[in-house]
Amino acid sequence: RQDGPMTTGPAAVLFDMDGTLVESHDNVERAWTTWAQRRGIDAAALLENAHGLPAEITVARWLPDAGDHEIAAAAAEQLALQYDDVTGITPAVGALELLEFLTDSEFPWAVHTSADDRLARARLGAAGIDPPVLVTRDQLTQGKPAPDGYLLAAELLGIEPSRCVVVEDTEVGIESGRAAGMQTIGVRGVIGDLPLGSLSELHLWLVVTTAPTDGDAVGFPFPFPIT
């Protein structure tokens, strides 16, 4: 991670999916609740820390005596509960407008999610989002909070990690972005490195910072008020 705020504009934006670009909170909780109830596990306690983590990490936490094969099978069972459940899936507030701006501006962006490819494409499709680069958990040796996914996304975009901004709605995701050497933006009350708190604020910031100028990029480090 860079020391201090960026002094030049970002070259790419890397988004988390669930809770950041896609409203799927209820879908995630329905699946984990069913999974927990089948095993006599307190679903409310499990859900306190499940969001943003790869399924196998949560499974291993709640099945501490399970071997690798059992953990993989139980994680696959949890994901299977979500594949066909797209009820209520919608884009997050401001997501489509921001992504349209990025696409029209030919500004590089990608999605990195702890979901596998099948689930990610189902949810993104239901929300009307088609990312140019999608990095899913099944492409990686290590999921969040490891930096692997965001580093791969930057590589696929052809952008140096230090020039990327990560947008996340969980502490686990923020940790992943920082570990990749990237500046972070937190949404839904999560605190990142840059003083932005929503997709709409990010949209405004990028409009300002990418506007043609005769000198340095404007908007760094945030001279205009962020509300």
Side-chain angles (χ1 to χ4, degrees):
R1 185 161 63 100
Q2 298 185 145
D3 294 328
M6 283 184 167
T7 55
T8 60
V13 182
L14 312 181
F15 297 94
D16 171 53
M17 183 181 72
D18 291 312
T20 299
L21 285 182
V22 174
E23 295 290 356
S24 55
H25 188 87
D26 291 345
N27 308 71
V28 173
E29 295 208 342
R30 280 197 295 270
W32 276 120
T33 297
T34 298
W35 184 91
Q37 289 173 344
R38 289 176 177 176
R39 292 165 172 80
I41 293 172
D42 183 344
L46 181 150
L47 287 168
E48 288 180 2
N49 296 295
H51 289 282
L53 285 171
E56 67 268 19
I57 292 180
T58 299
V59 168
R61 178 177 296 168
W62 287 92
L63 301 178
D65 298 325
D68 291 345
H69 179 74
E70 185 179 352
I71 289 172
E77 176 191 339
Q78 195 275 342
L79 286 172
L81 291 168
Q82 302 184 59
Y83 288 144
D84 298 323
D85 180 9
V86 294
T87 302
I89 295 286
T90 60
V93 173
L96 296 184
E97 295 83 358
L98 170 57
L99 298 181
E100 181 180 11
F101 166 75
L102 295 177
T103 300
D104 290 347
S105 303
E106 298 183 347
F107 193 99
W109 64 280
V111 172
H112 167 39
T113 173
S114 293
D116 68 3
D117 186 79
R118 178 179 171 183
L119 180 58
R121 293 189 186 280
R123 286 192 176 153
L124 290 167
I129 296 172
D130 183 19
V133 168
L134 173 62
V135 176
T136 57
R137 177 64 183 90
D138 44 337
Q139 294 175 254
L140 308 169
T141 301
Q142 298 184 93
K144 299 174 187 180
D148 304 36
Y150 283 121
L151 290 173
L152 178 57
E155 179 183 344
L156 293 173
L157 289 173
I159 305 295
E160 287 295 321
S162 63
R163 298 294 312 283
C164 296
V165 170
V166 166
V167 187
E168 278 276 0
D169 73 314
T170 66
E171 295 292 345
V172 169
I174 293 293
E175 183 180 345
S176 177
R178 287 173 174 165
M182 302 172 183
Q183 294 278 15
T184 61
I185 293 170
V187 297
R188 305 178 79 97
V190 173
I191 304 301
D193 303 308
L194 303 178
L196 297 166
S198 71
L199 297 182
S200 297
E201 290 180 358
L202 172 59
H203 188 171
L204 173 61
W205 180 56
L206 290 174
V207 168
V208 172
T209 58
T210 59
T213 66
D214 294 329
D216 294 334
V218 298
F220 287 92
F222 304 97
F224 61 95
I226 301 296
T227 59

